[in-house]
């Protein structure tokens, strides 16, 4: 009985231990809670409530949406997106019929000229056969197409007559019956051929004018850097994304040139479906999202206008609202000083905001949870809390519901989970040089987080350049994309502007004449051999 009691006690202790272990496993650790919270925040940032399966996207090898199929690491400004409408094939025909001119105009010029000449030749041949049929329909009537009234016209003569009618050359007829009074059907055929000839000539003129004046090929002279850069500002400690853009036709500035960034993400739904395709195993449905990336230089609040006649570095501040910020870093606001769900950060309401606007006073991004006062920076918020705590403590305010209840040390924390310094807790922050020195040790960890996030999420960053060409006042676009293989971490673009006179003997006289290059008047040159170079 004693042995049975001991065994029973041991089994009960074992079950109790298992229950404790099971209950402990149900309680997530602090780190896992933070990571889960940051992941949920990343989902909210993209305004998507559909459950997603990240394992599917991470295991697939996606193709680029923008191919670099031109020399000098440039693209032909074509997105690799096509329509898949097997069950609604009539839609393509309808769209083509509604907008056939622009679809036709986008084809290569040599192909369009060949097709137009082929159509014109077929029409000439068609009317030649019509003239032969009309002449043979009434053998007793002399239509005046041949010198012998009793002989029908042959194909060669009918083709020559159709060609003369279509081109209005008028080499002459074999008979004096120039108005074909005996054959009214022949006059009707000539009328329709002349109508077609006039309409075709009008279309041909419109096409050549539109084709010669189209400005989409002007975008090929916009040069993007081969690599984009993600770097840390040594003065402010902030991280930013940079792309260098330049107009090769620099002598003639563009009108209202501006630029935009998009973060392209593929998101697979857990409940998503797939379709079979003869050319592949399956086609998986997913969401392809183009999330805008706010631009700080040039400022998109002013339209992101830039002067592209010299190489310009376009930058995006990677803040708490940036779509390329890793989820592990997304839980903190203003470079990690305060948690974004602490109640002190104003709700973005789904808008695409920038922290920079709050830092410079354009809008209030922080609020006090006690009195509701809004502030632009964390430093001002801490000063407000400390000042109110001093006044309330002096006036013996109750702690519950007042500013005395707030603990600055628990509200404000660095993103690296390190405790704040004594100066930060009391509302004073280190200088820029001190902040830069303290942050250098964490920059490599940040870069590793960027690499992991951009790789696992298959993010492709799209750069869109738009401008107006001054000759025909036509708007054109130029696009380039960057994946993890095209991003350099740290460093800066090498200076590529040259100063000094160039020896004119090394250049042909014809280039000076055609391109109007006068060596005495050139103030600066762009060294394209160094345009893609990055220095660290």
């Amino acid at each position: 009985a004693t042995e049975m009691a001991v065994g029973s006690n041991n089994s009960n202790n074992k079950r109790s231990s298992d229950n404790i272990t099971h209950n402990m496993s149900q309680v997530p650790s602090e780190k896992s809670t933070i990571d889960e919270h940051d992941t949920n925040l990343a989902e909210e940032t993209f305004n998507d409530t559909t459950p997603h399966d990240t394992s599917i996207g991470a295991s697939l090898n996606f193709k680029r949406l923008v191919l670099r199929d031109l020399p000098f690491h440039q693209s032909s400004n074509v997105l690799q997106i096509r329509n898949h409408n097997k069950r609604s094939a009539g839609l393509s025909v309808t769209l083509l019929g509604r907008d056939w001119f622009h679809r036709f105009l986008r084809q290569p010029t040599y192909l369009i000229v060949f097709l137009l000449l082929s159509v014109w030749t077929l029409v000439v041949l068609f009317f030649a056969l019509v003239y032969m049929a009309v002449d043979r329909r009434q053998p007793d009537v002399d239509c005046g197409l041949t010198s012998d009234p009793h002989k029908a016209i042959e194909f060669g003569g009918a083709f020559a007559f159709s060609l003369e009618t279509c081109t209005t050359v008028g080499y002459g007829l074999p008979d004096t019956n120039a108005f074909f009074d005996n054959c009214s059907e022949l006059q009707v055929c000539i009328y329709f051929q002349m109508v077609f000839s006039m309409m075709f000539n009008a279309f041909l003129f419109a096409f050549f004018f539109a084709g010669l004046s189209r400005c989409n090929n002007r975008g090929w002279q916009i040069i993007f850097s081969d690599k984009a850069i993600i770097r840390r500002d040594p003065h402010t400690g902030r991280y930013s994304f940079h792309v260098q853009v330049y107009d090769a036709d620099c002598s003639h500035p563009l009108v209202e040139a501006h630029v935009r960034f998009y973060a392209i993400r593929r998101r697979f739904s857990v409940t998503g479906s797939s379709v079979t395709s003869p050319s592949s195993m399956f086609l998986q449905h997913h969401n392809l999202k183009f999330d805008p990336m706010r631009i700080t230089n040039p400022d998109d609040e002013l339209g992101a206008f830039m002067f592209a006649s010299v190489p310009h570095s376009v930058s995006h501040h990677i803040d708490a609202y940036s779509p390329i910020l890793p989820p592990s870093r997304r839980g903190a606001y203003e470079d990690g000083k305060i948690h974004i769900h602490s109640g002190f950060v104003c709700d973005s309401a789904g808008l695409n905001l920038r922290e920079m606007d709050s830092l410079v006073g354009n809008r209030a991004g922080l609020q006090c949870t006690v009195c509701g006062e809004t502030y632009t920076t964390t430093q001002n918020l801490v000063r407000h809390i400390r000042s109110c705590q001093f006044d309330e403590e002096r006036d013996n305010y109750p702690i519950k519901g007042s500013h005395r209840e707030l603990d600055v040390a628990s509200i404000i924390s660095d993103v690296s989970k390190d405790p704040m310094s004594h100066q930060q807790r009391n509302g004073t922050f280190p200088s820029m040089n001190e902040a830069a020195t303290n942050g250098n040790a964490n920059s490599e960890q940040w870069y590793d987080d960027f690499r992991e996030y951009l790789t696992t999420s298959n993010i492709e960053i799209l750069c869109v350049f738009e401008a107006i060409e001054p000759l025909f006042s036509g708007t054109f676009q130029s696009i380039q994309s960057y994946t993890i293989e095209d991003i350099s971490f740290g460093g800066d673009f090498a200076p590529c502007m040259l100063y000094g006179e160039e020896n004119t003997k090394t250049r042909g006289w014809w280039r000076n004449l055609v391109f109007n290059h006068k060596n005495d008047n050139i103030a600066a040159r762009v060294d394209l051999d160094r345009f893609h170079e990055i220095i660290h």
Side-chain angles (χ1 to χ4, degrees), residues 100-332:
W100 61 270
F101 182 76
H102 291 93
R103 295 286 296 271
F104 191 66
L105 193 61
R106 290 186 180 275
Q107 304 304 318
T109 304
Y110 67 89
L111 177 61
I112 297 178
V113 171
F114 173 76
L115 292 177
L116 291 177
L117 291 178
S118 300
V119 171
W120 185 80
T121 303
L122 291 176
V123 171
V124 172
L125 293 174
F126 170 76
F127 277 98
L129 298 176
V130 171
Y131 294 141
M132 292 176 61
V134 171
D135 194 31
R136 284 171 169 76
R137 183 176 181 181
Q138 297 177 350
D140 299 335
V141 179
D142 182 14
C143 294
L145 294 179
T146 59
S147 57
D148 188 359
H150 302 288
K151 184 179 180 181
I153 190 173
E154 299 296 335
F155 177 77
F159 178 79
F161 178 75
S162 177
L163 187 61
E164 291 179 15
T165 304
C166 193
T167 57
T168 65
V169 174
Y171 290 114
L173 295 171
D175 196 0
T176 57
N177 188 12
F179 297 103
F180 313 103
D181 297 333
N182 299 329
C183 297
S184 58
E185 296 179 357
L186 187 60
Q187 293 176 345
V188 173
C189 294
I190 295 175
Y191 167 78
F192 281 108
Q193 186 175 11
M194 292 300 298
V195 169
F196 168 80
S197 179
M198 289 188 298
M199 299 298 294
F200 189 83
N201 291 337
F203 169 76
L204 201 61
F205 176 80
F207 162 74
F208 274 109
F209 178 79
L212 294 176
S213 62
R214 59 185 177 184
C215 301
N216 56 340
N217 291 339
R218 178 63 175 83
W220 290 0
Q221 298 197 59
I222 305 302
I223 302 177
F224 297 89
S225 58
D226 178 31
K227 300 289 185 180
I229 298 177
I230 292 180
R231 69 165 180 260
R232 179 181 182 274
D233 192 329
H235 302 289
T236 62
R238 301 185 179 96
Y239 291 84
S240 54
F241 175 85
H242 299 264
V243 172
Q244 189 165 238
V245 185
Y246 169 63
D247 179 19
D249 192 10
C250 53
S251 301
H252 307 284
L254 297 169
V255 180
E256 295 187 356
H258 53 279
V259 66
R260 303 193 305 269
F261 284 161
Y262 295 94
I264 307 175
R265 292 167 51 93
R266 293 176 172 87
R267 313 200 65 181
F268 289 84
S269 174
V270 176
T271 59
S273 59
S274 61
V275 296
T276 58
S277 174
S279 59
S280 60
M281 295 298 295
F282 71 97
L283 299 175
Q284 181 72 28
H285 287 125
H286 67 286
N287 294 325
L288 186 64
K289 302 194 63 177
F290 285 68
D291 296 301
M293 299 169 56
R294 299 295 301 273
I295 296 179
T296 56
N297 184 25
D299 190 2
D300 58 8
E301 288 285 337
L302 303 177
F305 292 109
M306 57 180 293
F307 192 77
S309 293
V310 294
H312 189 98
S313 179
V314 183
S315 60
H316 160 76
H317 177 213
I318 307 177
D319 55 12
Y321 303 104
S322 174
I324 63 174
L325 181 68
S328 59
R329 305 284 182 174
R330 202 179 294 276

Side-chain angles (χ1 to χ4, degrees), residues 469-480:
E469 199 272 329
L471 290 180
F472 290 94
S473 299
T475 304
F476 68 92
Q477 283 187 344
S478 183
I479 60 177
Q480 180 72 295

Side-chain angles (χ1 to χ4, degrees), residues 316-427:
H316 160 76
H317 177 213
I318 307 177
D319 55 12
Y321 303 104
S322 174
I324 63 174
L325 181 68
S328 59
R329 305 284 182 174
R330 202 179 294 276
Y333 184 83
E334 196 176 320
D335 302 320
K337 293 185 178 66
I338 186 170
H339 202 279
I340 200 169
H341 279 293
S342 61
F344 290 89
V345 180
C346 297
D347 186 13
S348 64
L351 298 179
N352 191 19
L353 303 179
R354 296 186 307 181
E355 285 189 22
M356 202 71 66
D357 296 331
S358 178
L359 296 178
V360 298
N362 288 347
R363 64 173 181 85
L366 300 172
Q367 61 183 357
C368 178
T369 57
V370 176
C371 61
E373 286 287 336
T374 57
Y375 296 91
T376 57
T377 61
T378 305
Q379 186 175 5
N380 292 338
L381 177 61
V382 171
R383 289 171 178 172
H384 161 74
I385 295 175
R386 289 301 183 189
S387 176
C388 292
Q389 287 177 346
F390 177 80
D391 295 338
E392 293 171 355
E393 185 176 358
R394 180 192 59 191
D395 298 336
N396 294 324
Y397 269 64
I399 297 179
K400 186 67 174 178
S402 66
H403 293 84
R404 299 177 62 187
E405 187 179 11
L406 301 179
D407 185 9
V408 176
S410 62
I411 296 172
I412 302 175
S413 61
D414 188 75
V415 74
S416 61
K417 309 299 185 296
D418 294 333
M420 295 183 61
S421 63
H422 177 73
Q423 292 82 1
Q424 288 176 318
R425 291 182 184 137
N426 289 276

